Amino acid sequence: MEISVEKIEGSTDVKYFYDSYTVHVGNHRILTVVTYCEITAGKWLKQAKKANNSKSLPKTLVVGLSVERQNDYYSRYGLLEFPYELLHICIGSHCLLYHLNDPDFYKPPKFLAHFLSDPEVIVVGMGIKEKSSHLEKDFEVKIKNAVDLNELAVKGMKRDELDLGRYDLDRLAKAVLGKHMDVVRPGRKIEWFKRKRPYYHSPELNDEKVMFTTADAYLCYRIGSQLFDMIHGKASSAIAAAAAVAAAAKSRKNKKMKKGKKNKKGKK
C-alpha cells in the first residue's frame, strides 16, 4: 500500500503554531494538522466531532488514538517511564498530531481531558489501556471508553486459528482490513524533527514522521470502525460493543485469577 505526504502550502500559522498536510494512505486522503497549541487542538476536536456524527453509529464517535515518546531511556532497573510527547488522534479522514507539554512545567490539557472523558467518545488503539493509565497519571487525562484493538479483533473476527491478541498494528490491519493494507516501513528509526525554524520556538516535524504517524492513527480508526460493524452491525451503538469487549476481557481476567488461586491451594 502506497503512503505519501504533502505539506499544504500557506497552511502554516505562526500565531497558533500549526502546520497542515495531506496524507494519502492507499486510496484514502487524510487531512493532518500538527500543532503545539492548545487553542488549535481544542478547535480541531470540536470541528472534527461535529463533522463526524455518524448516522450508522448514533450518538457515538469512534476515535483512533496513540501516543509516543521521542526516545526511550533505560536505567539498570529497566525502562524509565517518562511522559508521552506526541499524541495522535484520527477521526474519519482527519488527523491531529498534538505535541504534549511537559506536565512538570505546564498545566494539564483540560480540553483533551474533557473530550476523552465524553461518554459518547469511543477511543480505540493498540495497548490502549496501558496508554490511558499513563495519560491519566502524567496529564490528568482520563479516557472514559478505552477499547483495545486486539481484544476487539478477537471478539469481532472469531478466528480461533489466528493469534489476534498478539498481533501488532500492521498484522492486525491486514487481518481485519485486507492484504492491500500492507504498510511498508523504513528499516531505520525515523527522525522526528527538521532543523529548528527561525520564526518558531518549536521545531517542525519531519514529513516522513507526519506520514507514518498519520497512517498509524488512521489504521487504528479504520480497524476499530470495521470491527464494531462486524460485532453489532452498522446500525448499532459502538458503546454497546465497547461494553461487551470490556466485559469479556474482565471475565477472562477473573478466570485467570481464580485458576491461579486454585493452583496455589493445590501446591499447599
Side-chain angles (χ1 to χ4, degrees), residues 36-49:
Y36 293 81
C37 179
E38 288 191 17
I39 296 174
T40 299
K43 286 182 177 179
W44 185 95
L45 288 173
K46 286 182 180 179
Q47 292 172 357
K49 188 174 181 180

Side-chain angles (χ1 to χ4, degrees), residues 35-175:
T35 186
Y36 293 81
C37 179
E38 288 191 17
I39 296 174
T40 299
K43 286 182 177 179
W44 185 95
L45 288 173
K46 286 182 180 179
Q47 292 172 357
K49 188 174 181 180
K50 288 179 181 178
N52 287 275
N53 287 329
S54 173
K55 292 181 180 179
S56 62
L57 296 173
K59 296 184 178 180
T60 62
L61 183 70
V62 178
V63 176
L65 181 144
S66 188
V67 280
E68 62 180 321
R69 307 174 185 88
Q70 184 177 3
N71 296 300
D72 288 329
Y73 297 97
Y74 294 84
S75 71
R76 60 179 178 173
Y77 303 107
L79 179 66
L80 298 174
E81 294 183 340
F82 286 107
Y84 294 119
E85 297 170 289
L86 187 64
L87 173 80
H88 334 142
I89 288 180
C90 183
I91 305 173
S93 58
H94 298 271
C95 187
L96 172 71
L97 307 186
Y98 175 59
H99 292 270
L100 292 162
N101 291 318
D102 189 331
D104 290 334
F105 300 99
Y106 294 89
K107 293 180 180 179
K110 289 185 178 180
F111 75 95
L112 190 60
H114 178 73
F115 176 78
L116 296 177
S117 64
D118 187 332
E120 295 181 356
V121 172
I122 308 297
V123 179
V124 297
M126 303 294 292
I128 193 64
K129 292 175 183 177
E130 181 182 355
K131 292 171 181 175
S132 175
S133 176
H134 285 302
L135 281 172
E136 185 173 3
K137 177 171 70 75
D138 295 327
F139 298 98
E140 299 179 20
V141 171
K142 185 173 183 178
I143 299 176
K144 176 71 174 178
N145 296 306
V147 179
D148 183 85
L149 285 175
N150 291 102
E151 293 177 5
L152 195 63
V154 170
K155 182 175 178 61
M157 297 192 72
K158 298 179 181 178
R159 295 282 302 274
D160 294 338
E161 76 279 13
L162 301 178
D163 193 8
L164 293 168
R166 296 178 181 271
Y167 277 19
D168 61 15
L169 180 61
D170 290 345
R171 290 187 72 192
L172 202 60
K174 285 189 284 185

Side-chain angles (χ1 to χ4, degrees), residues 218-233:
Y218 176 70
L219 288 177
C220 286
Y221 168 79
R222 281 287 309 278
I223 292 169
S225 298
Q226 181 74 7
L227 288 169
F228 279 131
D229 287 346
M230 287 181 183
I231 295 171
H232 287 274

